[in-house]
C-alpha cells in the first residue's frame, strides 16, 4: 500500500486511489518518470478527436481554455474582475482627491487674495474718498487678473459692492455671509452667487483703531475650481486603461501557463484524471519510486514495496535509510540516469531505470522503475553468450589473415582468443610450415605465438622448439586430427608427462583447464592451438570445445594461405636474386655497394648491374619492370641479359636505351601473340664512367634521376633528360655529360625508394637528400643510411640501390702519343712504348705489346684517317688503344696462303687477352688488353 503524509503529519487511512492521498505527488510526477500533466493532454486530445473537434493551435488552445469551463478560465475571469474593480476604485478615489485638493486650493487662494487686497496701501483710504468705486474698481480688476480669481469685491459695512467684474453689479447687495467678517473674522464659503456657484472668502478692512471699516471678498467659481480636476481626468483614465491592459496581459500569461499545466481541464476532469493515474500507478506490474532532489522517497507503489520489501513508513524517509543494498540505495539517492541497470535485491535481479524529473522545468528529483528480470536474465545470459561467440567467429573471419605472413596470422589467432574465449592461447607450428613447405614426418613444433591476460605464465615461450610426448593432449591432437578437452589439468596424467616440473608450475600458477585443436587444412595438419583457462573458475565444456574447433578451422585456412604465399614468395625471391648479380665485378674505377629489398607483397622487376667496359671504363645500370611476380622477374632477367650483350658493343648510353626500347616492343608483340600478359612498362638508367677523364655519360628512360654526393657532402640531383619509358618507341633518348670529382658518390635507385602510396616523388627526393647529407663517406654506409631512413618495415614495392664512389686513374698510369700517318714512325712508337713499360716495371710485356701496337698502328695508318693517336693505360690490365678518325672497323678472318695481309689482327687476337672496337663521335678506337704478370 502507498501512504503519503498529510499536512498535519498524520497518516491518511484512505484507499491508495483516493484523491487526497497523493495529489501533490501525482501532480508533479507521472508513471515511469514522466510528468503527470502529459497524460491528460493526450486524453484530452483523444476526447476532442472523438467529439469531432480540431486540435487547438498555440493561441487557439488559450482561447479554448478561456471560453470553456476550465480552471484556467475561472482564474482568468476572477483575476480580470479583481483588477477592473481595483482600477475603478483607484480612478474614483483619485478624482475625489483631486476635487478635494482643488477646493482646498481655491479656499486658500481666495483668502490670500482677499487679505492681500484688504491690506494693500490705499485700500482703506479709498473707502473714505468721495467716489470709492472710481479708485478701487481698476485696482480690483488688475489684482483679479493678476491672481487668476474670478472676482475681487470691496464692500462697505452694509454689504454694498464698490467693485465687481461686472460693472452693473456695483452698488448692489453682496451675496454671501458678511456678519463674521464685520466681527473681524475671515469667512470662506461655497454659495450660488450672481456669477454662479463659487468658493469665496470675506475678510475685514480694519482702521488703525481696529474698527472694521469695510470688507473685501475674493472668489473662484465652481466651474474654475473643478477645471484642474477635469483636465487631469483624461490622464487618469489613460493610466487606468494602461494598468488594466497590463494587468489583463499578465493575467492572460498566468492563465496560459496554468492552461498548459492543466491542459484546459476542469476540476472534475482533473479529479477523474488523477483517479485514473492513481489506479494505473498501483495496478502496473512494475515498481515505481519517486525520489525528491534531496534523496527522500516521495512515492512508492505497491509493486515497489513488494520488490524492495520496503517498510510501511518508507515515504518521507531518505533513500539511504530504507535498508536497501548499498548499490541500490546509492542509485536512488544520487538521482543519476540509469538504463536497465541490474541490481541484486535478496534473491531477485531487478532491472532499474531511472530518469530525472527536472529535464523540462519539472521539480527536482527522479523517477525509478523496477522490473523483476530474474528469469529473463538467465535466458538473456545464454543468448548473450551465443551472441558473443558469433561475434568472435565473425571477428575471426575479418581479423585473422589480414597479412600473408604465417607468424602474424598465428599471432592474430592468439590475440583474438584472449580474453574473449581463453585466458591464454598458444599456437605451435611445424618448422616446414613457417618456411612455406609441408610437414613431412616431423614430430617437433615451434611455438609461434603466445597471448595471455598476463605475461608471467610458465608456458613455453615464443620460438621455443617443442617435442610433445605421445600422451600429451597436443600430441594426441596432432596424431588424430581431433580436438582434445582436458577440463581439469590437475588430474591429467598424460599432460603432466610432458614436463613434470613445468606442468607443476602451470597448475600452481592457476591454469586449470585446456583445449587443444589441430590446425588442419584439408588432410594436412599444420600445427596445434592450445587454449588455457586460469582466471575463470569454470572449466571448458563441450560447447566451448565446438567453438574452439570452429575458430581454429577458420584460422587454419588463413594460415595455409599464408604458408602457400610464403612458398611462392620464397621461390619468386630466389628467382629474383638469381637474376641479379651475385657479386659486383672487380674494377678500379669505382668503389661500389648495392642493395636489393624485395616487396612484402611479392617480388618485382627492379634490378641493377655493373659492367666493366674497355678503357678502364665502367657502366652502371638500374632498371625497373612495372608489376610484380614471376612475369616481372623473368622480363627483368631478359632485359639484364640484353644490356650485357649491348654493352659488349661499347655503345653510347642513348643508343643502348634505344636498342632496349626496340627489344621491349618485340617482347610485347611476341607475348601478345602467345596470349601472355605483355610488359606494361619498364624504366632504365644507364651511365658510363671514365676514370681517365672523370667524365660520366648518363641517359635514362623514364627512370628517377640519379643523386650526386660531392666530396664536400653536398647533394645534388643532376639534370638528366628523362626520356620516355622503354616500350613506347618512336622518341629518341638524350644523354647528359657530367664531370665528377674524385671521391664523389653517384647514387642510382628505383622508384620504390622514393615513392609509395603515402608520399609523392618530390617528398621522397627530399627525404633522400636528407639521408645522403648525413650518411657516411663509404658506399656501404650510404646504402645502410638510405635504406634505414626511407624504407618502411613492410615495403609495398621492391627497391634496388647502387652507390658508386668515383676514383681517377693516376696521371702517371696514362701514356699517350700522337702518330703521324707515316709507316716509318711506327718504330718511334715502339721505342716510346718500350721506355714507358720499362718505367712501369713491365719489361716482360714489352715484346708482345710492341707487336700488338705495331700491327694496330700500321692498320690505322694504312686503312684509317688522320689524326692517329696511341694511348696506353696501366690498370688491372695493360690496355693499349689506337684512335683514328675513320669509322671503318677491321674484322678478324683467316688469311689464305696467297694473301699478303689479313694476319696482323689474327696475331693481335692471339697475343691479347681481350680486344675490340668502339666508336666515338670523332672516329673509332681499337683496343687490346693484356694481363699483368
Amino acid at each position: 500500500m502507498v501512504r503519503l503524509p498529510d499536512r498535519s503529519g498524520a497518516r491518511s487511512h484512505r484507499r491508495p486511489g483516493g484523491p487526497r492521498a497523493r495529489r501533490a505527488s501525482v501532480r508533479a510526477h507521472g508513471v515511469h518518470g514522466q510528468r503527470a500533466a502529459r497524460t491528460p493532454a493526450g486524453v484530452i486530445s483523444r476526447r476532442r478527436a472523438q467529439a469531432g473537434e480540431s486540435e487547438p493551435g498555440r493561441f487557439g488552445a488559450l482561447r479554448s481554455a478561456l471560453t470553456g469551463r476550465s480552471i484556467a478560465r475561472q482564474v482568468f475571469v476572477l483575476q480580470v474582475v479583481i483588477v477592473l474593480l481595483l482600477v475603478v476604485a483607484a480612478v474614483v478615489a483619485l478624482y475625489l482627491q483631486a476635487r478635494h485638493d482643488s477646493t482646498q486650493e481655491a479656499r486658500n487662494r481666495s483668502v490670500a487674495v482677499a487679505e492681500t487686497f484688504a491690506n494693500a496701501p490705499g485700500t482703506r483710504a479709498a473707502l473714505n474718498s468721495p467716489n470709492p468705486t472710481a479708485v478701487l474698481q481698476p485696482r480690483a480688476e488688475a489684482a483679479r487678473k493678476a491672481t487668476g480669481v474670478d472676482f475681487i469685491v470691496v464692500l462697505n459695512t452694509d454689504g454694498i459692492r464698490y467693485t465687481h467684474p461686472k460693472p452693473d453689479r456695483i452698488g448692489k447687495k453682496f451675496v454671501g455671509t458678511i456678519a463674521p467678517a464685520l466681527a473681524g473674522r475671515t469667512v470662506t464659503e461655497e454659495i450660488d452667487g450672481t456669477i454662479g456657484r463659487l468658493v469665496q472668502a470675506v475678510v475685514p478692512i480694519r482702521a488703525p483703531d481696529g474698527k472694521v471699516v469695510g470688507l473685501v471678498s475674493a472668489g473662484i467659481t465652481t466651474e474654475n475650481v473643478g477645471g484642474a480636476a477635469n483636465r487631469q481626468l483624461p490622464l487618469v483614465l489613460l493610466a487606468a486603461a494602461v494598468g488594466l491592459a497590463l494587468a489583463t496581459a499578465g493575467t492572460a500569461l498566468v492563465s496560459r501557463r496554468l492552461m498548459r499545466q492543466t491542459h484546459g481541464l476542469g476540476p472534475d476532469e482533473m479529479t477523474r484524471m488523477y483517479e485514473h493515474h492513481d489506479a494505473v500507478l498501483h495496478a502496473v506490474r512494475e515498481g515505481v519510486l519517486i525520489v525528491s532532489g534531496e534523496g527522500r522517497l516521495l512515492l512508492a507503489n505497491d509493486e515497489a514495496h513488494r520488490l524492495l520489501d520496503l517498510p510501511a513508513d518508507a515515504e518521507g524517509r531518505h533513500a539511504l535509510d530504507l535498508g536497501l543494498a548499498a548499490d541500490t540505495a546509492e542509485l536512488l539517492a544520487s538521482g543519476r540516469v540509469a538504463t536497465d541497470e541490474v541490481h541484486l535485491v535478496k534473491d531477485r535481479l531487478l532491472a532499474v531505470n531511472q530518469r530525472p524529473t527536472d529535464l523540462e522545468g519539472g521539480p527536482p528529483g527522479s523517477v525509478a522503475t523496477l522490473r523483476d528480470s530474474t528469469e529473463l536474465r538467465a535466458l538473456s545470459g545464454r543468448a548473450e553468450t551465443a551472441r558473443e561467440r558469433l561475434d568472435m567467429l565473425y571477428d575471426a573471419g575479418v581479423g585473422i589473415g589480414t597479412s600473408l605472413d604465417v607468424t602474424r596470422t598465428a599471432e592474430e589467432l592468439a590475440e583474438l582468443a584472449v580474453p574473449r574465449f581463453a585466458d591464454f592461447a598458444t599456437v605451435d607450428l611445424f618448422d616446414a610450415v613457417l618456411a612455406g613447405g609441408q610437414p613431412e614426418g616431423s614430430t617437433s613444433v615451434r611455438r609461434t605465438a603466445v597471448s595471455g591476460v598476463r605475461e608471467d605464465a610458465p608456458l613455453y615461450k615464443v620460438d621455443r622448439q617443442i617435442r610433445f610426448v605421445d600422451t600429451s593432449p597436443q600430441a594426441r591432437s596432432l596424431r588424430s586430427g581431433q580436438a582434445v578437452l582436458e577440463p581439469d589439468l590437475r588430474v591429467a596424467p598424460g599432460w603432466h608427462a610432458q614436463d613434470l616440473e613445468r606442468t607443476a608450475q602451470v597448475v600452481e600458477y592457476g591454469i586449470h583447464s585446456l583445449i587443444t585443436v589441430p590446425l588442419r587444412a584439408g588432410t594436412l595438419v599444420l600445427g596445434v592451438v592450445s587454449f588455457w583457462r586460469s582466471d575463470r573458475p569454470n572449466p571448458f565444456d563441450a560447447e566451448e570445445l565446438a567453438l574452439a574447433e570452429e575458430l581454429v578451422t577458420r584460422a587454419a585456412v588463413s594460415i595455409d594461405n599464408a604458408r602457400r604465399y610464403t612458398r611462392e614468395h620464397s621461390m619468386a625471391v630466389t628467382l629474383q636474386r638469381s637474376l641479379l648479380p651475385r657479386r659486383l665485378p672487380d674494377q678500379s674505377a669505382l668503389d661500389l655497394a648495392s642493395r636489393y629489398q624485395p616487396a612484402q607483397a611479392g617480388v618485382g622487376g627492379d634490378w641493377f648491374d655493373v659492367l666493366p667496359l674497355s678503357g678502364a671504363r665502367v657502366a652502371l645500370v638500374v632498371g625497373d619492370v612495372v608489376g610484380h611476380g614471376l612475369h616481372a622477374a623473368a622480363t627483368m632477367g631478359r632485359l639484364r641479359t640484353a644490356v650485357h650483350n649491348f654493352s659488349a658493343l661499347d655503345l653510347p648510353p642513348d643508343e643502348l636505351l634505344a636498342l632496349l626500347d626496340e627489344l621491349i616492343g618485340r617482347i610485347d608483340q611476341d607475348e601478345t601473340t602467345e596470349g601472355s600478359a605483355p610488359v606494361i612498362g619498364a624504366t632504365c638508367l644507364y651511365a658510363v664512367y671514365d676514370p681517365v677523364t672523370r667524365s660520366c655519360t648518363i641517359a635514362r628512360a623514364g627512370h628517377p634521376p640519379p643523386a650526386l654526393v660531392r666530396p664536400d657532402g653536398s647533394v645534388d640531383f643532376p639534370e638528366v633528360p628523362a626520356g620516355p619509358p622503354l616500350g613506347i618507341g618512336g622518341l629518341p633518348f638524350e644523354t647528359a655529360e657530367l664531370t665528377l670529382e674524385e671521391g664523389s658518390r653517384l647514387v642510382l635507385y628505383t622508384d620504390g625508394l622514393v615513392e609509395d602510396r603515402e608520399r609523392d616523388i618530390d617528398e621522397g627526393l627530399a627525404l633522400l637528400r636528407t639521408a645522403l647529407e648525413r650518411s657516411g663517406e663509404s658506399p656501404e654506409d650510404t646504402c645502410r643510411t638510405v635504406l634505414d631512413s626511407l624504407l618502411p618495415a613492410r615495403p609495398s614495392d621492391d627497391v634496388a640501390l647502387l652507390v658508386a664512389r668515383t676514383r681517377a686513374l693516376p696521371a702517371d698510369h696514362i701514356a699517350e702519343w700522337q702518330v703521324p700517318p707515316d709507316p716509318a714512325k711506327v718504330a718511334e712508337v715502339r721505342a716510346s712504348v718500350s721506355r714507358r713499360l720499362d718505367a712501369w716495371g713491365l719489361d716482360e710485356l714489352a715484346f708482345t705489346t710492341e707487336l700488338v701496337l705495331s700491327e694496330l698502328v700500321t692498320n690505322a695508318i694504312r686503312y684509317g684517317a688522320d689524326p692517329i693517336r696511341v694511348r696506353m693505360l696501366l690498370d688491372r690490365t695493360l690496355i693499349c688503344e689506337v684512335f683514328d678518325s675513320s669509322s671503318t672497323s677491321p674484322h678478324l678472318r683467316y688469311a689464305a696462303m696467297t694473301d699478303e695481309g689479313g694476319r696482323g689482327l689474327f696475331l693481335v687476337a692471339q697475343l691479347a687477352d681481350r680486344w675490340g672496337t668502339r666508336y666515338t663521335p670523332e672516329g673509332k678506337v681499337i683496343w687490346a688488353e693484356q694481363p699483368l704478370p
Side-chain angles (χ1 to χ4, degrees), residues 900-921:
E900 295 183 0
R903 298 177 178 84
L905 199 55
F906 185 83
L907 181 61
V908 171
Q910 296 299 316
L911 296 177
D913 201 25
R914 295 172 60 233
W915 74 280
T917 304
R918 71 173 181 269
Y919 293 91
T920 66

Side-chain angles (χ1 to χ4, degrees), residues 106-120 140 143-144 146-152 201 203 216-220:
R107 289 174 179 271
N108 294 337
R109 188 189 302 178
S110 63
V111 170
V113 171
E115 288 181 348
T116 301
F117 194 85
N119 295 321
R144 180 183 66 80
T147 58
V149 297
D150 289 316
F151 67 86
I152 298 178
V203 300
V216 176
S217 176
I220 301 175

Side-chain angles (χ1 to χ4, degrees), residues 349 372-382:
L349 287 175
D372 192 349
S373 61
T374 306
E375 296 180 0
L376 180 62
R377 188 69 178 176
L379 294 175
S380 63
R382 289 194 291 270

Side-chain angles (χ1 to χ4, degrees), residues 307 343-350 372 374:
L307 293 176
H343 290 258
L344 179 63
V345 178
K346 296 185 178 179
D347 58 344
R348 297 188 181 96
L349 287 175
L350 301 183
D372 192 349
T374 306

Side-chain angles (χ1 to χ4, degrees), residues 357-381:
T357 59
D358 56 355
L359 294 178
E360 298 181 2
S366 60
V367 175
T369 61
L370 312 173
R371 184 175 67 255
D372 192 349
S373 61
T374 306
E375 296 180 0
L376 180 62
R377 188 69 178 176
L379 294 175
S380 63

Side-chain angles (χ1 to χ4, degrees), residues 215-500:
L215 302 174
V216 176
S217 176
I220 301 175
T221 63
T222 304
E223 180 181 356
N224 291 335
V225 171
N230 293 334
R231 288 191 299 273
Q232 294 176 355
L233 185 58
L235 180 62
V236 171
L237 293 177
L238 178 61
V242 172
L244 180 60
L246 293 177
T248 303
T251 302
L253 293 176
V254 172
S255 299
R256 182 182 176 187
R257 179 173 180 83
L258 182 60
M259 181 272 296
R260 286 200 307 268
Q261 293 181 342
T262 62
H263 293 274
L265 296 176
D268 295 338
E269 290 178 312
M270 291 190 65
T271 300
R272 285 196 302 272
M273 287 296 158
Y274 166 74
E275 291 175 349
H276 293 164
H277 278 70
D278 192 67
V280 171
L281 180 66
H282 294 280
V284 69
R285 298 307 298 168
E286 280 192 358
V288 179
L289 301 171
I290 301 179
V291 182
S292 69
E294 294 80 18
R296 295 190 176 278
L297 181 63
L298 299 179
L299 182 145
N301 69 350
D302 297 341
E303 185 68 8
H305 274 272
R306 184 183 71 83
L307 293 176
L308 297 177
D309 195 16
L310 295 175
D313 59 345
E315 287 84 357
R317 294 171 59 180
H318 200 278
L320 299 177
D321 301 332
L322 298 177
L324 302 176
D327 57 341
T328 307
E330 184 275 331
L331 173 62
L332 297 177
S334 66
R336 62 179 174 85
V337 175
T339 301
D340 289 336
E341 193 171 300
V342 178
H343 290 258
L344 179 63
V345 178
K346 296 185 178 179
D347 58 344
R348 297 188 181 96
L349 287 175
L350 301 183
V352 182
N353 290 273
Q354 183 165 275
R355 295 293 184 274
T357 59
D358 56 355
L359 294 178
E360 298 181 2
S366 60
V367 175
T369 61
L370 312 173
R371 184 175 67 255
D372 192 349
S373 61
T374 306
E375 296 180 0
L376 180 62
R377 188 69 178 176
L379 294 175
S380 63
R382 289 194 291 270
E384 180 67 17
T385 300
R387 186 190 64 81
E388 290 178 354
R389 292 178 178 179
L390 289 176
D391 287 344
M392 185 172 66
L393 292 177
Y394 172 78
D395 292 342
V398 299
I400 299 177
T402 58
S403 66
L404 293 174
D405 181 81
V406 175
T407 301
R408 180 56 195 156
T409 305
E411 292 172 351
E412 290 171 347
L413 169 59
E415 292 168 358
L416 178 70
V418 177
R420 301 169 67 175
F421 178 69
D423 298 318
F424 297 92
T426 59
V427 181
D428 305 315
L429 300 177
F430 293 105
D431 286 335
V433 174
L434 294 172
Q438 296 184 6
E440 297 178 357
S442 176
T443 58
S444 63
V445 294
R446 186 174 299 276
R447 180 134 299 173
T448 307
V450 175
S451 181
V453 294
R454 292 179 299 276
E455 297 182 357
D456 57 345
L459 301 173
Y460 292 122
K461 302 302 180 182
V462 175
D463 207 36
R464 169 73 178 267
Q465 190 78 23
I466 306 173
R467 184 180 297 274
F468 290 111
V469 299
D470 294 340
T471 59
S472 66
Q474 291 87 350
R476 283 185 285 160
S477 292
L478 290 173
R479 185 171 57 253
S480 64
Q482 301 296 325
V484 175
L485 170 63
E486 288 288 355
D488 191 352
L489 291 178
R490 294 171 297 179
V491 293
W495 174 73
H496 282 280
Q498 174 65 33
D499 186 338
L500 295 177

